[in-house]
Coordinates of all heavy atoms in Angstrom, one line a residue:
M937 N -38.5 -10.2 9.3 CA -37.5 -9.5 10.0 C -37.2 -8.2 9.4 O -37.1 -8.0 8.2 CB -36.2 -10.4 10.0 CG -35.1 -9.7 10.7 SD -33.5 -10.7 10.6 CE -33.9 -11.9 11.8
N938 N -37.1 -7.2 10.2 CA -36.8 -5.8 9.8 C -35.3 -5.8 9.3 O -34.4 -6.1 10.1 CB -37.0 -4.9 10.9 CG -36.9 -3.4 10.5 OD1 -36.5 -3.2 9.4 ND2 -37.1 -2.5 11.4
P939 N -35.0 -5.4 8.1 CA -33.6 -5.4 7.6 C -32.7 -4.4 8.4 O -31.5 -4.6 8.6 CB -33.7 -4.9 6.2 CG -35.1 -4.8 5.9 CD -36.0 -5.0 7.1
A940 N -33.3 -3.3 8.9 CA -32.5 -2.3 9.7 C -32.0 -2.9 11.0 O -30.8 -2.7 11.3 CB -33.4 -1.1 10.0
T941 N -32.8 -3.7 11.6 CA -32.3 -4.4 12.9 C -31.4 -5.5 12.6 O -30.5 -5.8 13.3 CB -33.5 -4.9 13.7 OG1 -34.3 -5.8 12.9 CG2 -34.3 -3.7 14.2
H942 N -31.6 -6.1 11.4 CA -30.7 -7.3 11.0 C -29.3 -6.8 10.8 O -28.3 -7.5 11.1 CB -31.3 -7.9 9.8 CG -30.5 -9.1 9.3 ND1 -30.4 -10.3 10.0 CD2 -29.7 -9.3 8.2 CE1 -29.6 -11.1 9.4 NE2 -29.2 -10.5 8.3
L943 N -29.1 -5.6 10.2 CA -27.8 -5.1 9.9 C -27.2 -4.2 11.0 O -26.1 -3.8 10.9 CB -27.9 -4.2 8.6 CG -28.4 -4.9 7.4 CD1 -28.5 -4.0 6.2 CD2 -27.4 -6.0 7.0
A944 N -27.9 -4.1 12.1 CA -27.4 -3.3 13.2 C -26.2 -4.0 13.8 O -26.2 -5.2 13.9 CB -28.5 -3.0 14.2
P945 N -25.2 -3.2 14.2 CA -24.0 -3.8 14.8 C -24.4 -4.5 16.2 O -25.2 -4.0 16.9 CB -23.0 -2.7 15.1 CG -23.9 -1.5 15.0 CD -25.0 -1.8 14.2
A946 N -23.7 -5.6 16.4 CA -24.0 -6.3 17.6 C -23.4 -5.5 18.8 O -22.4 -4.9 18.8 CB -23.3 -7.7 17.6
A947 N -24.1 -5.6 19.9 CA -23.7 -4.9 21.1 C -22.5 -5.7 21.7 O -22.4 -6.9 21.6 CB -24.9 -4.8 22.1
G948 N -21.6 -5.0 22.4 CA -20.5 -5.6 23.1 C -19.3 -5.9 22.2 O -18.5 -6.8 22.5
I949 N -19.1 -5.1 21.1 CA -17.9 -5.3 20.3 C -16.8 -4.7 21.1 O -16.8 -3.5 21.6 CB -18.1 -4.6 19.0 CG1 -19.2 -5.2 18.1 CG2 -16.8 -4.5 18.2 CD1 -19.5 -4.5 16.8
A950 N -15.7 -5.5 21.2 CA -14.6 -5.0 22.0 C -13.7 -4.0 21.2 O -13.4 -4.3 20.0 CB -13.7 -6.2 22.5
A951 N -13.3 -3.0 21.8 CA -12.4 -2.0 21.2 C -11.0 -2.5 21.2 O -10.6 -3.2 22.1 CB -12.5 -0.7 21.9
I952 N -10.3 -2.3 20.1 CA -8.9 -2.7 20.0 C -8.0 -1.6 20.7 O -8.1 -0.4 20.2 CB -8.4 -2.9 18.6 CG1 -9.3 -4.0 17.9 CG2 -7.0 -3.3 18.5 CD1 -9.1 -4.2 16.5
P953 N -7.2 -1.9 21.7 CA -6.4 -0.9 22.3 C -5.3 -0.4 21.3 O -4.8 -1.1 20.5 CB -5.7 -1.6 23.5 CG -6.5 -2.9 23.6 CD -7.1 -3.2 22.3
I954 N -5.0 0.9 21.4 CA -4.0 1.5 20.6 C -2.7 0.8 20.7 O -2.0 0.6 19.7 CB -3.9 3.0 20.9 CG1 -5.1 3.8 20.5 CG2 -2.6 3.6 20.3 CD1 -5.3 3.9 19.0
R955 N -2.3 0.4 21.9 CA -1.1 -0.3 22.2 C -0.9 -1.6 21.3 O 0.2 -1.9 20.9 CB -0.9 -0.6 23.6 CG 0.4 -1.1 24.0 CD 0.5 -1.3 25.5 NE 0.4 -0.1 26.3 CZ 1.5 0.6 26.7 NH1 2.7 0.2 26.4 NH2 1.4 1.7 27.3
E956 N -2.0 -2.3 21.1 CA -2.0 -3.5 20.3 C -2.1 -3.1 18.8 O -1.6 -3.9 17.9 CB -3.1 -4.4 20.6 CG -3.0 -5.1 22.0 CD -4.1 -6.0 22.3 OE1 -4.8 -6.5 21.3 OE2 -4.4 -6.2 23.5
L957 N -2.7 -2.0 18.5 CA -2.9 -1.7 17.1 C -1.7 -1.0 16.5 O -1.4 -1.1 15.3 CB -4.1 -0.7 17.0 CG -4.8 -0.6 15.7 CD1 -5.4 -1.9 15.2 CD2 -5.9 0.5 15.8
L958 N -0.9 -0.3 17.3 CA 0.2 0.6 16.8 C 1.2 -0.2 16.0 O 1.6 0.3 14.9 CB 0.8 1.3 17.9 CG 1.8 2.4 17.5 CD1 1.1 3.5 16.7 CD2 2.5 3.0 18.8
P959 N 1.7 -1.4 16.4 CA 2.7 -2.1 15.5 C 2.2 -2.4 14.2 O 2.9 -2.4 13.2 CB 3.0 -3.3 16.3 CG 2.6 -3.0 17.7 CD 1.5 -2.1 17.6
W960 N 0.9 -2.8 14.1 CA 0.3 -3.1 12.8 C 0.1 -1.9 11.9 O 0.3 -1.9 10.7 CB -1.1 -3.8 13.0 CG -0.9 -5.2 13.6 CD1 -1.1 -5.5 14.9 CD2 -0.4 -6.3 12.9 NE1 -0.8 -6.8 15.0 CE2 -0.3 -7.4 13.9 CE3 0.0 -6.6 11.6 CZ2 0.1 -8.6 13.6 CZ3 0.5 -7.9 11.3 CH2 0.5 -8.9 12.3
V961 N -0.2 -0.7 12.5 CA -0.3 0.5 11.8 C 1.1 0.9 11.2 O 1.2 1.3 10.0 CB -0.9 1.6 12.7 CG1 -0.8 3.0 12.0 CG2 -2.3 1.3 13.0
I962 N 2.1 0.8 12.0 CA 3.5 1.1 11.6 C 3.9 0.1 10.4 O 4.4 0.5 9.4 CB 4.5 1.0 12.7 CG1 4.2 2.2 13.7 CG2 5.9 1.1 12.3 CD1 5.0 2.1 15.0
F963 N 3.6 -1.2 10.6 CA 3.9 -2.2 9.6 C 3.2 -1.8 8.3 O 3.8 -1.8 7.2 CB 3.5 -3.6 10.1 CG 3.8 -4.6 9.1 CD1 5.1 -5.0 8.7 CD2 2.7 -5.3 8.5 CE1 5.3 -6.0 7.8 CE2 2.9 -6.3 7.6 CZ 4.2 -6.7 7.2
A964 N 1.9 -1.5 8.3 CA 1.1 -1.2 7.1 C 1.7 0.1 6.5 O 1.8 0.2 5.3 CB -0.3 -1.0 7.5
G965 N 2.1 1.1 7.3 CA 2.7 2.3 6.8 C 4.0 2.0 6.0 O 4.2 2.6 5.0
L966 N 4.8 1.1 6.6 CA 6.1 0.8 5.9 C 5.8 0.0 4.6 O 6.5 0.3 3.6 CB 7.0 -0.1 6.8 CG 7.6 0.7 8.0 CD1 8.3 -0.3 8.9 CD2 8.5 1.8 7.5
I967 N 4.8 -0.8 4.6 CA 4.5 -1.6 3.4 C 4.0 -0.6 2.3 O 4.4 -0.6 1.1 CB 3.5 -2.6 3.6 CG1 4.0 -3.7 4.5 CG2 2.9 -3.2 2.3 CD1 5.2 -4.5 3.9
C968 N 3.2 0.4 2.8 CA 2.7 1.4 1.8 C 3.9 2.3 1.3 O 3.9 2.6 0.1 CB 1.7 2.3 2.5 SG 0.1 1.5 2.8
L969 N 4.8 2.7 2.2 CA 6.0 3.4 1.7 C 6.8 2.6 0.7 O 7.3 3.2 -0.3 CB 6.8 3.8 2.9 CG 6.3 5.0 3.7 CD1 7.2 5.3 4.9 CD2 6.3 6.3 2.8
L970 N 6.9 1.3 1.0 CA 7.7 0.5 0.0 C 7.0 0.4 -1.3 O 7.6 0.5 -2.4 CB 7.8 -0.9 0.6 CG 8.7 -1.9 -0.1 CD1 10.2 -1.4 0.1 CD2 8.6 -3.3 0.5
G971 N 5.6 0.3 -1.3 CA 4.9 0.3 -2.5 C 5.0 1.7 -3.3 O 5.2 1.6 -4.5
V972 N 5.0 2.8 -2.6 CA 5.2 4.1 -3.2 C 6.6 4.2 -3.8 O 6.8 4.7 -4.9 CB 4.9 5.2 -2.2 CG1 5.4 6.5 -2.8 CG2 3.5 5.3 -1.9
Y973 N 7.6 3.6 -3.1 CA 9.0 3.6 -3.6 C 9.0 2.8 -5.0 O 9.5 3.3 -6.0 CB 10.0 3.0 -2.7 CG 11.3 2.7 -3.4 CD1 12.1 3.7 -3.7 CD2 11.5 1.4 -3.7 CE1 13.3 3.4 -4.4 CE2 12.7 1.0 -4.4 CZ 13.6 2.0 -4.8 OH 14.7 1.8 -5.5
F974 N 8.4 1.6 -4.9 CA 8.5 0.8 -6.2 C 7.8 1.4 -7.3 O 8.2 1.3 -8.5 CB 8.1 -0.7 -5.9 CG 9.1 -1.5 -5.3 CD1 9.1 -2.0 -4.0 CD2 10.3 -1.8 -6.0 CE1 10.1 -2.8 -3.5 CE2 11.3 -2.6 -5.5 CZ 11.2 -3.1 -4.2
V975 N 6.6 2.0 -7.0 CA 5.9 2.6 -8.1 C 6.5 3.9 -8.6 O 6.6 4.2 -9.8 CB 4.4 2.9 -7.6 CG1 3.7 3.7 -8.6 CG2 3.7 1.6 -7.4
G976 N 7.0 4.7 -7.6 CA 7.4 6.1 -8.0 C 8.9 6.3 -8.2 O 9.3 7.2 -8.9
A977 N 9.8 5.5 -7.6 CA 11.2 5.8 -7.6 C 12.1 4.7 -8.1 O 13.3 4.9 -8.1 CB 11.6 6.3 -6.3
E978 N 11.6 3.5 -8.3 CA 12.4 2.4 -8.7 C 12.8 2.5 -10.2 O 12.2 1.9 -11.1 CB 11.6 1.1 -8.5 CG 12.3 -0.2 -9.0 CD 13.7 -0.5 -8.4 OE1 13.9 -0.1 -7.3 OE2 14.5 -1.0 -9.2
E979 N 13.7 3.5 -10.5 CA 14.1 3.7 -11.8 C 15.4 4.5 -11.8 O 15.6 5.4 -11.0 CB 13.0 4.5 -12.6 CG 13.3 4.9 -14.0 CD 12.3 5.8 -14.6 OE1 11.8 6.7 -13.9 OE2 11.9 5.7 -15.7
G980 N 16.3 4.2 -12.7 CA 17.5 5.0 -12.9 C 18.4 5.0 -11.7 O 18.7 4.0 -11.2
A981 N 18.7 6.2 -11.2 CA 19.7 6.4 -10.1 C 19.2 5.8 -8.8 O 20.0 5.4 -8.0 CB 20.1 7.8 -10.0
T982 N 17.9 5.8 -8.6 CA 17.3 5.4 -7.3 C 16.9 3.9 -7.4 O 16.3 3.4 -6.5 CB 16.1 6.2 -6.9 OG1 15.1 6.1 -8.0 CG2 16.5 7.7 -6.7
S983 N 17.3 3.2 -8.4 CA 16.9 1.8 -8.6 C 17.7 0.9 -7.8 O 18.9 1.0 -7.6 CB 17.1 1.5 -10.1 OG 16.7 0.1 -10.3
I984 N 17.0 0.0 -7.1 CA 17.7 -1.1 -6.3 C 17.8 -2.3 -7.1 O 18.9 -3.0 -7.1 CB 16.9 -1.4 -5.0 CG1 16.9 -0.2 -4.1 CG2 17.4 -2.6 -4.3 CD1 16.0 -0.4 -2.9
I985 N 16.8 -2.7 -7.9 CA 16.8 -3.9 -8.7 C 17.3 -3.6 -10.1 O 16.7 -2.6 -10.7 CB 15.4 -4.5 -8.7 CG1 15.0 -4.9 -7.2 CG2 15.4 -5.7 -9.6 CD1 13.6 -5.3 -7.1
K986 N 18.3 -4.3 -10.6 CA 18.8 -4.0 -11.9 C 17.8 -4.3 -13.0 O 17.0 -5.2 -12.9 CB 20.1 -4.9 -12.0 CG 21.1 -4.3 -13.0 CD 22.4 -5.1 -12.9 CE 23.4 -4.5 -13.7 NZ 24.7 -5.2 -13.6
G987 N 17.9 -3.5 -14.0 CA 17.0 -3.7 -15.2 C 15.7 -2.9 -15.0 O 15.5 -2.1 -14.1
M988 N 14.8 -3.1 -16.0 CA 13.6 -2.3 -16.0 C 12.3 -3.1 -15.6 O 11.2 -2.7 -15.9 CB 13.4 -1.8 -17.4 CG 14.5 -0.8 -17.8 SD 14.4 0.8 -16.9 CE 12.9 1.5 -17.7
Y989 N 12.5 -4.3 -15.1 CA 11.4 -5.2 -14.8 C 10.4 -4.6 -13.8 O 9.2 -4.6 -14.1 CB 11.9 -6.6 -14.2 CG 12.8 -7.3 -15.2 CD1 14.1 -7.5 -15.0 CD2 12.3 -7.8 -16.4 CE1 15.0 -8.1 -15.9 CE2 13.1 -8.5 -17.3 CZ 14.4 -8.7 -17.0 OH 15.2 -9.3 -17.9
V990 N 10.9 -4.1 -12.7 CA 9.9 -3.5 -11.8 C 9.3 -2.3 -12.3 O 8.1 -2.1 -12.2 CB 10.7 -3.1 -10.5 CG1 9.8 -2.4 -9.5 CG2 11.3 -4.4 -9.8
H991 N 10.0 -1.5 -13.0 CA 9.5 -0.2 -13.6 C 8.4 -0.6 -14.6 O 7.3 0.0 -14.6 CB 10.6 0.5 -14.4 CG 10.1 1.7 -15.1 ND1 9.8 2.9 -14.4 CD2 9.7 1.9 -16.4 CE1 9.4 3.8 -15.3 NE2 9.3 3.2 -16.5
E992 N 8.6 -1.6 -15.5 CA 7.6 -2.0 -16.4 C 6.4 -2.6 -15.8 O 5.3 -2.4 -16.2 CB 8.2 -2.9 -17.5 CG 9.3 -2.3 -18.4 CD 8.8 -1.1 -19.2 OE1 7.6 -1.1 -19.5 OE2 9.6 -0.2 -19.5
F993 N 6.6 -3.4 -14.7 CA 5.5 -4.0 -14.0 C 4.6 -3.0 -13.4 O 3.4 -3.2 -13.4 CB 6.1 -5.0 -12.9 CG 5.1 -5.8 -12.3 CD1 4.5 -6.9 -13.0 CD2 4.7 -5.6 -11.0 CE1 3.5 -7.7 -12.4 CE2 3.7 -6.3 -10.4 CZ 3.1 -7.4 -11.1
V994 N 5.1 -1.9 -12.8 CA 4.2 -0.9 -12.2 C 4.0 0.3 -13.0 O 3.6 1.3 -12.5 CB 4.8 -0.5 -10.8 CG1 4.9 -1.7 -9.9 CG2 6.2 0.1 -11.0
H995 N 4.2 0.2 -14.3 CA 4.2 1.4 -15.2 C 2.9 2.1 -15.2 O 2.8 3.3 -15.1 CB 4.6 0.9 -16.6 CG 5.0 2.1 -17.5 ND1 4.3 2.4 -18.6 CD2 5.9 3.0 -17.4 CE1 4.8 3.5 -19.1 NE2 5.8 3.9 -18.4
D996 N 1.8 1.3 -15.3 CA 0.5 2.0 -15.4 C 0.1 2.7 -14.1 O -0.4 3.7 -14.0 CB -0.6 0.9 -15.7 CG -0.5 0.5 -17.2 OD1 0.2 1.1 -18.0 OD2 -1.1 -0.6 -17.5
S997 N 0.5 2.0 -13.0 CA 0.3 2.7 -11.7 C 1.1 4.0 -11.5 O 0.6 4.9 -11.0 CB 0.8 1.7 -10.5 OG 0.1 0.5 -10.6
R998 N 2.3 3.9 -12.1 CA 3.1 5.1 -12.1 C 2.4 6.3 -12.8 O 2.4 7.4 -12.3 CB 4.4 4.8 -12.8 CG 5.5 5.8 -12.7 CD 6.7 5.3 -13.5 NE 7.8 6.2 -13.4 CZ 8.7 6.1 -12.4 NH1 8.7 5.2 -11.5 NH2 9.7 7.0 -12.4
H999 N 1.9 6.0 -13.9 CA 1.2 7.1 -14.7 C -0.1 7.5 -14.0 O -0.5 8.7 -14.0 CB 0.9 6.7 -16.1 CG 2.1 6.8 -17.0 ND1 2.5 7.9 -17.6 CD2 3.1 5.8 -17.3 CE1 3.7 7.7 -18.2 NE2 4.0 6.4 -18.1
L1000 N -0.8 6.5 -13.4 CA -2.0 6.8 -12.7 C -1.8 7.7 -11.5 O -2.6 8.6 -11.3 CB -2.7 5.5 -12.2 CG -4.0 5.6 -11.5 CD1 -5.1 6.0 -12.5 CD2 -4.4 4.3 -10.8
L1001 N -0.7 7.6 -10.8 CA -0.4 8.4 -9.7 C 0.3 9.7 -10.0 O 0.6 10.5 -9.2 CB 0.4 7.6 -8.6 CG -0.3 6.4 -8.0 CD1 0.6 5.7 -7.1 CD2 -1.6 6.9 -7.3
G1002 N 0.7 9.9 -11.3 CA 1.2 11.2 -11.8 C 2.7 11.3 -11.6 O 3.2 12.4 -11.6
F1003 N 3.4 10.2 -11.4 CA 4.9 10.3 -11.3 C 5.4 10.5 -12.7 O 5.0 9.9 -13.6 CB 5.5 9.0 -10.7 CG 5.3 8.8 -9.2 CD1 4.3 8.1 -8.7 CD2 6.1 9.5 -8.3 CE1 4.1 7.9 -7.4 CE2 5.9 9.4 -7.0 CZ 4.9 8.6 -6.5
P1004 N 6.5 11.3 -12.8 CA 7.1 11.5 -14.1 C 7.8 10.3 -14.6 O 8.3 9.5 -13.8 CB 8.1 12.7 -13.9 CG 8.4 12.6 -12.5 CD 7.2 12.1 -11.8
C1005 N 7.7 10.0 -15.9 CA 8.3 8.8 -16.4 C 9.0 9.0 -17.7 O 10.2 9.1 -17.8 CB 7.1 7.8 -16.6 SG 7.7 6.2 -17.1
H1006 N 8.3 9.3 -18.8 CA 8.9 9.4 -20.1 C 8.2 10.5 -20.9 O 7.1 10.9 -20.5 CB 8.9 8.1 -20.9 CG 7.6 7.4 -21.0 ND1 6.6 7.8 -21.9 CD2 7.1 6.5 -20.2 CE1 5.6 7.0 -21.7 NE2 5.8 6.2 -20.7
Ligands
ZN1810 ZN1 5.7 5.8 -18.6

């Protein structure tokens, strides 16, 4: 069997309509924004959860993304 034909996409793949996709895109965007909040702003005056638990949990991600910390 030719590997190129084996990996070729199957004909007849149905396209997902934008109307069905849009709520999931919005949901994923909100989850991403929530993640950016917890990594970048969950500290000090903008903190929702008391204590430093969330900050310490995402600390390496915070530095990786370049948010100021200490
Ligand atoms: Zn830090």
Side-chain angles (χ1 to χ4, degrees):
M937 177 182 283
N938 185 357
T941 57
H942 180 68
L943 298 175
I949 295 175
I952 302 173
I954 289 291
R955 188 176 292 269
E956 290 181 25
L957 201 59
L958 191 60
W960 292 103
V961 170
I962 292 171
F963 178 69
L966 289 174
I967 293 296
C968 287
L969 281 177
L970 191 66
V972 168
Y973 164 76
F974 276 113
V975 170
E978 173 59 33
E979 180 187 38
T982 58
S983 180
I984 292 174
I985 299 170
K986 208 170 186 176
M988 295 292 286
Y989 298 110
V990 174
H991 176 82
E992 294 298 334
F993 186 72
V994 298
H995 194 245
D996 290 344
S997 305
R998 188 180 183 91
H999 282 277
L1000 182 69
L1001 295 177
F1003 285 100
C1005 185
H1006 51 83

